[in-house]
Every structure is written in structure tokens, then in C-alpha cells.
Amino acid sequence: MTPALTTATSGTAVGDDIPAAVRIDHVHKSYGRPGADRPVLDDITLDVRPGEFVCLLGASGCGKSTLLNLVAGLDRPTAGSITVPGGRPALMFQEHALFPWLTAGRNIELALRLRGVPRAGRRAEAERLLELVRLGGAYGKRVHELSGGMRQRVALARALAQDSRVLLMDEPFAALDAITRDVLHHELTRIWSETELSVLFVTHNVREAVRLGQRVVLLSSRPGRVVREWEVGIPQPRRIEDAAVADLSVEITEELREEIRRHGRH
Amino acid sequence: MAGTDTTPVAGGDLAGLEAGLDALDAVQVKRTPLRQVLLQKVLPPVVAVVLVLVVWKLLVLARVTDDYKLPDPSAVGGSLRRLWLDGTLLDIIWTSVSRGLLGFVAALAIGTPLGLLVARVPVVRAAIGPILSGLQSLPSVAWVPAAVIWLGITDAAMYAVILLGAVPSIANGLVSGVDQVPPLYLRAGRTMGATGVRGARFVLFPAALPGYIAGLKQGWAFSWRSLMAAELIASSPELGLGLGQYLENARTDSDMPGVLLGILLILFVGIAIDLIVFSPLERRVLRMRGLAAR
Ligand SMILES: Nc1ncnc2c1ncn2[C@@H]1O[C@H](COP(=O)(O)OP(=O)(O)OP(=O)(O)O)[C@@H](O)[C@H]1O
Ligand SMILES: [Mg+2]
């Protein structure tokens, strides 16, 4: 898959000829009385192209989770609109959110069942998805019997079981150690490149964003706005310790610092 | 700055790394050997019971009080043997247990939908939530006089008292079970399309199960207690002879070994049902989720 390279640098919307996988259109979000508080999200416009991997970067509390929840349909924007033409997106939470009363395999089968997969095909499909995240033997394991990294992989398999065109990921690897995270980055890019999935990946880790994304979008804090975006031209497979990844990370980190400093000034 | 020194990752290398990581931090679950179970779970209560018997025997030997107030343990054993040889022992126990279980099942059928309503419908919660939790602290013996006046000394009165004791426990257990469901599970369910009835069936109810089972357990204890109180107070020859009536008859006959036997049997049945039905159920549910200590 060769990503279409555009020269867009900020606040881009995809041209009307290509239907976006996710279209976030002038979205505002404030909690409480409208207009009373400073909004959490202010006029966010962002498109994710079909098959694109977009990383959303921003300081803690800038509204990244809020935005993902809006896209997932768990909450409504105060103003503006969000369209996901391909149907309900899958959302992978920061915590694994697996159901502890089911085994790893059954968690996946529940997602399949809710999607309408007939009973006969579920078991095999669940096994296939576990195989995909390299957890072939984990079907009968209880959630508490799995390590943190394994849980995240089962959660990824469950999200993939929804067979959505769009995968939303909210800092899914934030709580993992560097080596495990590295392994999961590899898995994720592999799975993404083997499917037509569009990914919107939230993180506050600049290196992670550059390691994974075709495009990195920086959000400001209070109110959350799109400050700038970068096209990442480094070909996959990348590694987090690559010099090119490091160089771009330095540049983005500087911008992020500047963004945070701005808050100290007023 | 495009791809200068990106070394392609060797797949096998990472797979090995992954296997190593998983082996390092997956939890090992092992079963406790039978010998250890016997030693840690069975022995202590047996020792405790033996100790109580020894103290009892010593008190009798020391003649702390009259024989008719504190009979020898062997006299209680004699009463038990006589009941057994009469063939009435199992009948007495069964009369009470069948009443208790039937009442409990009825309480289950009423308490479960009631609990769901209170948990999910705000108006209903505001209206009867506080009453329902208040009722839990009202000893159900207090209902016996009312039940007798309304329904006479009948089986119906017994069941009414059981229901009044057990329904609030079961409903409250379900309510607190539902309240304690982490919102994350509900949200995860919604993103997978589990909304409405499917959300209740696949996410809400299983997530609330531990609280619900705790409510059932307490509901059984309340059923049994209420039933014994009712049998004791509203005893009549027309009703079948249950444990409560047996106890009451022993009292009127000033038959202290019979009274002690009655108390012990009531205690024994309560514990046995809990051990046979509810504790294993609870342990199973908790262990499945990795919540049980052992
Ligand atoms: N339900 C809510 N009610 C009121 N305010 C909220 C609510 N949820 C989030 N907020 C506020 O919205 C802002 C953004 O929260 P959000 O969780 O989206 O941040 P985030 O970018 O995901 O942060 P982090 O990186 O720490 O996860 C925060 O200031 C938070 O206090
Ligand atoms: Mg967040």
C-alpha cells in the first residue's frame, strides 16, 4: 500500500473527490452549560482518508479522549458534525476493557456475535484473530491470567473482530514497558498494512506517533485545536530508534513544548 | 528525512522476544493439592466444633447449673438418635427446607425484576430505593404478627414472611451489583453494538453477577431466619412439623435436649445450604474473574 502524499500542513480536509473514512467537521465540545466554560474542543476539522494511519498528539487533558469518544459515538459534539461513512468504528480503550467473566477467546466471540457472525463460524474466526495477534494458545485463558501486553493484544483482536473500517485507539500502549510496546507497534503496523483499516491513534508519546503514523496531528490544549500536522514520509517498517524517527520527533517535540509554554504566558 | 537507516525488523527475532515477554509476566495458576485443602479448610472448623463440645462437657461435669438447663451432650445425641429411629428426622428437616427453598425461589422471581427496575429506572429508584434498603434492616420476625392476622396460621403466612425478608436482600444485591459495574464495560459494550436488551444480556447482567450472587446468599440467610421465626411463633398442628415447630414443642415439653437439638439442626441446615449451594456458586463466579483469594 502506498500512502497518497499530500502537501497539506495544517487543518486539512480531504478533497471532496475522495470520501473520507472519518470526517470531523468544525467540531466543538464543551461540558456543562454551552458557552459558560472554555470548550474542551474548539473547531476541530480533521479527515482520515481510507486506509490512512493518523496519530493524534497532544498534552494531557487537551481533549484527545473526548474527540475519540465523539468519533466512536459514545458522546455527542456540542456543535459541528462527525461522519463515519463505513459504519460504527471499533474503539480500543487505554485500559484493555476486556470482560473478565469471559475467556480471551469468548471476548472475541462476543464481538463477532454482536456483529452478526453465525455461531458455526465464530470459534474458528476467534482463533484466527488470536493467531493474527500471535496469541494462538490463549483462547481459553481468563483475562486475569494474561500479562498486560497479552491483554492489549486480545483487546486489539477484539477490536478487529468488529470488522469495522475504522479503528480508534486511545493510548492503547501507554501502560506497557518499552520492549512490549515495541513488539505491539510492530504487530499493529503489520496488521494495518495487511488490511484496508483506517486508524486514528491517540498518544502523548511523540516518538510513538512518528513510529506509527503516516500523518501526525498536533492538538493544542484548552481549547483543543489542530495546531499543525506533519506527513511522515519515512517508509515502514520503521523502528522507534531510527535516526529519521528521532529527527522528526525532535522537531515535533519542540513544537509541542512551545504549545505548552504558550499556556504559561497567559 | 525519508528512510535513511531503517533496518527492517526480522520477524522471527520479534516473535522470540514476544514469547519471552509473555513467559515472563503471565500469571501462573495452579491448583491447591487436596492434602493442603484438608489441612487449611477442613481441619480448623472440626477442631473448633470439638473444642465447643469439650467445653460443654466440662461445664456439665463441673455442674455449673441444673441438669434440665444444661443437659449432657450425649442427651442431645440421644434425642437425635430417637428422631432418626422414628423416621421423623428427615421429614422435619425436609418440611422446613422445602418451605424455605420454595419461598426463596419465589423471592428470587420477585426480587430480580424488582432489583432491575430500581437499578435502571430513576423514578422507581427515587420512589422505593430507600424503602427497599431500609426494609433490609427490619427483622422479618416483625412481620409475623401481621402475616398471622392477614393469612391465619397457614403456609401462606410462612411464605409471606419469607418473601418480606428475602425480596429486599435479593433486589438490593442486584442494585448494588449493577451500580458497581465499571462504566468502561458498558462503553466497551456500546462500541461493539451491545445496546438495549443486548447490552443488558451480554454486558450489564454478567458484570453485575457478583453483587447479585452476594444478594442471593444474603437472601437465603434471610429466608431461613424469617421462616424459623414464623414457624416458632405461628406453630400449629395443622401445619406439617418443621424445625421451628419441633423447637417450640420441645420448649412446651421442657425438653432441653430437644431444644438444643432444634437449635443445632436449624444452624446445621442454614450452614449446609450455604456450603452446598451459594458458597460454591460465589467462589466459581469470583474465581473465574480472578477475584477470589483462593
Ligand atoms: N465528563 C466530563 N465532564 C467534564 N469535563 C470533562 C469530562 N471529560 C473530560 N473532561 C475535561 O475535558 C478535558 C479533556 O479531557 P480528555 O480526557 O479528553 O483529555 P486527554 O487529552 O485524553 O488527556 P490524557 O492524555 O490525559 O488522556 C479535560 O480538561 C477534562 O477535565
Ligand atoms: Mg485520554
Side-chain angles (χ1 to χ4, degrees):
Chain A
M1 175 183 302
T2 43
L5 271 171
T6 63
T7 49
T9 49
S10 102
T12 44
V14 180
D16 286 331
D17 45 324
I18 323 161
V22 177
R23 167 154 288 168
I24 301 168
D25 195 19
H26 299 289
V27 161
H28 294 255
K29 176 71 189 175
S30 48
Y31 291 102
R33 274 182 301 124
D37 292 312
R38 213 154 1 142
V40 174
L41 297 175
D42 185 30
D43 198 24
I44 302 266
T45 295
L46 176 73
D47 282 7
V48 179
R49 291 184 287 266
E52 194 183 19
F53 200 126
V54 175
C55 288
L56 205 56
L57 197 61
S60 188
C62 76
K64 305 182 295 294
S65 298
T66 304
L67 185 60
L68 275 202
N69 282 340
L70 293 177
V71 177
L74 292 173
D75 206 350
R76 287 177 186 288
T78 316
S81 71
I82 291 177
T83 36
V84 188
R88 188 192 313 111
L91 172 57
M92 201 180 149
F93 296 85
Q94 184 163 352
E95 313 83 15
H96 57 79
L98 294 171
F99 298 141
W101 56 91
L102 298 172
T103 60
R106 291 279 177 186
N107 264 284
I108 297 170
E109 280 182 25
L110 178 58
L112 293 171
R113 178 171 189 174
L114 290 167
R115 187 184 111 198
V117 176
R119 175 190 295 268
R122 280 184 223 142
R123 170 90 196 221
E125 178 64 4
E127 304 262 20
R128 189 189 69 80
L129 286 162
L130 281 172
E131 221 38 84
L132 194 67
V133 294
R134 294 193 213 260
L135 278 177
Y139 183 92
K141 284 272 199 314
R142 295 270 163 205
V143 174
H144 69 272
E145 295 169 0
L146 301 172
S147 75
M150 292 161 98
R151 285 176 204 177
Q152 289 299 358
R153 266 183 285 163
V154 176
L156 178 59
R158 186 175 74 170
L160 294 172
Q162 288 178 246
D163 200 28
S164 304
R165 304 262 194 78
V166 176
L167 176 58
L168 309 171
M169 306 178 82
D170 192 356
E171 304 188 29
F173 308 138
L176 304 178
D177 70 86
I179 304 266
T180 307
R181 199 185 311 148
D182 215 24
V183 169
L184 289 177
H185 285 163
H186 175 74
E187 303 286 350
L188 180 61
T189 34
R190 182 176 59 80
I191 291 164
W192 167 73
S193 64
E194 286 167 4
T195 56
E196 262 100 69
L197 211 55
S198 313
V199 183
L200 185 54
F201 187 103
V202 160
T203 179
H204 53 229
N205 182 333
V206 180
R207 282 227 175 194
E208 182 174 56
V210 178
R211 157 75 180 82
L212 292 170
Q214 291 177 304
R215 193 146 58 98
V216 176
V217 177
L218 178 63
L219 287 187
S220 63
S221 302
R222 258 169 284 142
R225 287 202 182 103
V226 176
V227 177
R228 212 184 136 179
E229 27 178 296
W230 289 263
E231 293 282 343
V232 184
I234 311 162
Q236 294 280 11
R238 306 167 191 156
R239 300 194 71 162
I240 205 151
E241 61 269 25
D242 288 344
V245 171
D247 289 346
L248 185 54
S249 300
V250 169
E251 186 189 328
I252 297 178
T253 305
E254 197 40 57
E255 184 85 24
L256 182 59
R257 284 217 185 94
E258 186 52 38
E259 180 49 41
I260 291 170
R261 259 187 230 117
R262 248 199 294 281
H263 283 275
R265 286 206 284 269
H266 53 246
Chain B
M1 54 159 50
T4 44
D5 57 351
T6 31
T7 32
V9 178
D13 174 32
L14 265 175
L17 197 56
E18 228 166 282
L21 284 169
D22 294 343
L24 276 176
D25 53 7
V27 176
Q28 301 294 317
V29 265
K30 55 174 191 294
R31 300 200 68 81
T32 29
L34 182 67
R35 219 180 75 89
Q36 203 179 336
V37 172
L38 286 178
L39 219 67
Q40 291 180 348
K41 289 278 168 86
V42 180
L43 193 61
V46 170
V47 169
V49 169
V50 170
L51 263 178
V52 169
L53 285 175
V54 167
V55 170
W56 179 0
K57 183 78 187 177
L58 286 177
L59 288 176
V60 172
L61 287 178
R63 297 194 174 285
V64 280
T65 177
D66 295 332
D67 215 25
Y68 76 91
K69 283 189 187 161
L70 188 68
D72 194 89
S74 64
V76 178
S79 296
L80 180 64
R81 194 164 46 245
R82 227 169 305 121
L83 274 188
W84 174 254
L85 292 178
D86 285 355
T88 46
L89 179 66
L90 293 181
D91 283 346
I92 294 176
I93 293 180
W94 179 242
T95 304
S96 289
V97 167
S98 61
R99 263 186 206 147
L101 288 181
L102 197 64
F104 175 76
V105 169
L108 193 68
I110 298 171
T112 304
L114 186 65
L116 270 180
L117 270 179
V118 172
R120 300 302 282 174
V121 185
V123 183
V124 179
R125 177 182 291 230
I128 63 173
I131 302 175
L132 211 55
S133 42
L135 273 180
Q136 264 189 301
S137 51
L138 177 72
S140 42
V141 206
W143 291 110
V144 177
V148 167
I149 292 175
W150 289 331
L151 301 163
I153 298 186
T154 58
D155 270 334
M158 307 274 147
Y159 290 123
V161 175
I162 294 180
L163 288 182
L164 287 163
V167 167
S169 295
I170 295 174
N172 273 316
L174 187 52
V175 171
S176 64
V178 168
D179 286 349
Q180 282 163 21
V181 172
L184 181 63
Y185 294 154
L186 301 179
R187 283 147 47 84
R190 275 174 63 196
T191 61
M192 294 194 291
T195 50
V197 174
R198 298 209 298 175
R201 175 169 166 211
F202 292 120
V203 182
L204 187 68
F205 195 76
L209 199 57
Y212 182 55
I213 288 181
L216 294 191
K217 206 173 144 151
Q218 202 193 25
W220 163 253
F222 276 39
S223 296
W224 187 240
R225 265 192 239 173
S226 330
L227 176 63
M228 288 307 106
E231 284 188 356
L232 201 59
I233 297 174
S235 80
S236 131
E238 283 109 75
L239 297 174
L241 183 68
L243 283 169
Q245 284 99 336
Y246 172 79
L247 184 55
E248 176 61 10
N249 291 349
R251 184 191 68 82
T252 37
D253 296 347
S254 298
D255 168 19
M256 195 56 194
V259 167
L260 286 176
L261 178 62
I263 295 173
L264 288 176
L265 286 176
I266 292 170
L267 182 66
F268 170 77
V269 171
I271 294 175
I273 300 275
D274 188 71
L275 279 183
I276 294 167
V277 182
F278 294 102
S279 291
L281 196 66
E282 188 174 43
R283 229 182 356 245
R284 217 182 98 92
V285 165
L286 292 182
R287 185 177 288 155
M288 255 170 52
R289 295 161 200 238
L291 293 173
R294 245 174 301 164

